[in-house]
């Protein structure tokens, strides 16, 4: 399942902290290298934090508050940034960062709607099915997933190419109302210029996707990455052979999937069935 444990507004919290740091530094009339010297950090690290490319720690935030006279504002911004991360499992942090950097995301999902395209109600139904999940944990997970989806709303949103097994459309989760709402949302998202959704029909004889869900991330700023679901945690790899193997699987599935138009027709038909 596409990252059951998942980031932020038009810019993620790490970028918010970097922007706040830069604003206070400029207001204080302090150069990056001078701030770095005061805090024991290099110029390059200060620059990376301001660009949101590196995560600061609490000691750094408190020191920056002191040097820049921010009166605790930077420590508060740092805590806001880390509150989101606290709702994610440690192993998933890296993949969320990859998603933020990606120019293109290609996803195969044989079981559920991918996390980036889930409605709040659908996500809640999924998280509610986990053993020993408390109400607070469920709501924190749902909130984190909704925040993560906002990368699709930003100006430089990644291209998202999704292939779903037809069974995903017909698997009951939550209620008929939840499923109807999820179908409506899928249609709306697929009508965006940077999102495509294809359905692999149930009468396809392919066994290529039976090993589980996966996502490929591509960007000029990083090597191609592959994320594959596993029983307890996902596996992230930048190994070229592994990425090439997963890419070949995606293209094989895409070749057997319905066209975008036919896929949307099927989703609309399924939407009406859930509404009955």
């Amino acid at each position: 399942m596409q990252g059951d444990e998942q980031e932020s507004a038009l810019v993620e919290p790490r970028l918010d902290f970097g922007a706040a740091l830069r604003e206070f530094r400029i207001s204080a009339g302090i150069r990056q290298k001078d701030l770095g010297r005061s805090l024991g950090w290099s110029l390059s690290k200060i620059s990376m934090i301001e660009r949101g490319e590196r995560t600061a720690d609490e000691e750094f935030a408190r020191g920056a508050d002191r040097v820049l006279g921010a009166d605790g504002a930077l420590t508060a911004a740092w805590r806001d940034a880390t509150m989101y991360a606290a709702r994610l499992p440690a192993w998933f942090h890296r993949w969320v960062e990859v998603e933020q950097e990606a120019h293109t995301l290609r996803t195969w999902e044989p079981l559920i709607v991918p996390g980036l395209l889930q409605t709040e109600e659908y996500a809640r139904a999924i998280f509610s099915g986990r053993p020993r999940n408390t109400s607070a944990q469920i709501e924190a997970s749902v909130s984190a997933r909704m925040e993560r989806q906002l990368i699709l709303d930003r100006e430089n949103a990644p291209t998202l190419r999704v292939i779903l097994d037809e069974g995903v459309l017909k698997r009951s989760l939550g209620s008929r109302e939840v499923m109807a709402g999820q179908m409506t949302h899928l249609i709306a998202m697929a009508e965006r210029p940077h999102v495509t959704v294809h359905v692999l029909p149930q009468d396809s004889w392919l066994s290529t996707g039976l090993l589980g869900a996966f996502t490929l991330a591509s960007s000029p700023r990083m090597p191609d990455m592959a994320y594959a679901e596993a029983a307890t945690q996902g596996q992230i790899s930048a190994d070229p052979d592994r990425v090439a193997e997963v890419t070949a699987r995606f293209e094989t599935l895409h070749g057997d999937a319905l066209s975008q138009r036919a896929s949307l027709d099927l989703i609309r038909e399924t939407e009406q069935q859930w509404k009955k």
Side-chain angles (χ1 to χ4, degrees):
M1 297 184 328
Q2 180 68 28
D4 268 358
E5 302 88 346
Q6 284 83 46
E7 191 156 275
S8 147
L10 293 181
V11 285
E12 59 176 307
R14 189 178 65 237
L15 293 177
D16 288 340
F17 177 80
L21 175 66
R22 183 174 184 274
E23 182 178 345
F24 277 106
R25 179 182 60 76
I26 292 175
S27 295
I30 296 178
R31 296 175 299 178
Q32 286 183 335
K33 67 177 183 179
D34 295 328
L35 176 61
R37 186 179 299 114
S38 297
L39 299 177
W41 286 57
S42 68
L43 169 62
S44 63
K45 289 180 179 178
I46 296 295
S47 180
M48 290 174 71
I49 289 174
E50 288 192 357
R51 294 197 304 269
E53 296 173 0
R54 183 185 177 101
T55 302
D57 57 21
E58 186 171 11
E59 181 181 358
F60 176 92
R62 289 182 179 278
D65 262 331
R66 172 178 49 79
V67 174
L68 301 178
D71 195 27
L74 288 173
T75 300
W78 176 85
R79 286 175 178 160
D80 286 343
T82 54
M83 278 181 65
Y84 172 76
R87 289 176 281 165
L88 304 173
W91 60 266
F92 196 68
H93 290 181
R94 175 55 180 150
W95 184 251
V96 171
E97 292 178 353
V98 170
E99 281 186 336
Q100 291 287 326
E101 292 293 324
H103 178 268
T104 301
L105 293 165
R106 291 171 288 174
T107 296
W108 156 248
E109 180 53 74
L111 296 175
I112 62 170
V113 173
L116 289 177
L117 296 180
Q118 292 175 6
T119 65
E120 182 175 335
E121 294 77 12
Y122 186 92
R124 184 173 291 109
I126 291 174
F127 290 120
S128 296
R130 288 190 183 164
R132 297 185 297 277
N133 245 4
T134 66
S135 296
Q137 289 171 327
I138 291 169
E139 292 309 311
S141 295
V142 171
S143 176
R145 178 156 295 177
M146 296 303 103
E147 291 174 29
R148 174 179 160 234
Q149 293 178 357
L150 291 173
I151 62 169
L152 298 177
D153 293 331
R154 69 191 189 193
E155 186 175 349
N156 61 335
T159 296
L160 177 63
R161 298 175 60 198
V162 174
I163 304 175
L164 299 173
D165 186 85
E166 185 178 349
V168 171
L169 309 180
K170 300 177 180 179
R171 180 168 293 109
S172 303
L173 286 173
S175 67
R176 299 187 69 86
E177 291 75 16
V178 167
M179 292 303 301
Q182 180 61 73
M183 297 303 106
T184 302
H185 184 64
L186 265 182
I187 294 166
M189 293 302 295
E191 289 175 343
R192 295 190 180 190
H194 60 284
V195 177
T196 61
V197 176
H198 296 269
V199 177
L200 184 72
Q202 287 186 321
D203 59 4
S204 171
W205 291 84
L206 277 183
S207 61
T208 306
L210 297 181
L211 293 178
F214 59 77
T215 299
L216 292 154
S218 303
S219 171
R221 299 184 297 273
M222 65 181 185
D224 288 353
M225 306 278 284
Y227 169 83
E229 291 287 346
T232 56
Q233 68 178 53
Q235 299 174 345
I236 302 170
S237 177
D239 178 74
D241 292 337
R242 175 62 173 158
V243 172
E245 177 189 347
V246 177
T247 300
R249 290 186 194 175
F250 184 89
E251 294 306 327
T252 299
L253 290 161
H254 185 265
D256 246 33
L258 300 175
S259 68
Q260 170 88 336
R261 177 178 294 180
S263 295
L264 287 179
D265 286 345
L266 179 58
I267 297 171
R268 290 189 183 99
E269 178 184 324
T270 308
E271 175 192 30
Q272 293 307 310
Q273 291 173 355
W274 283 116
K275 287 181 176 180
K276 291 180 180 178

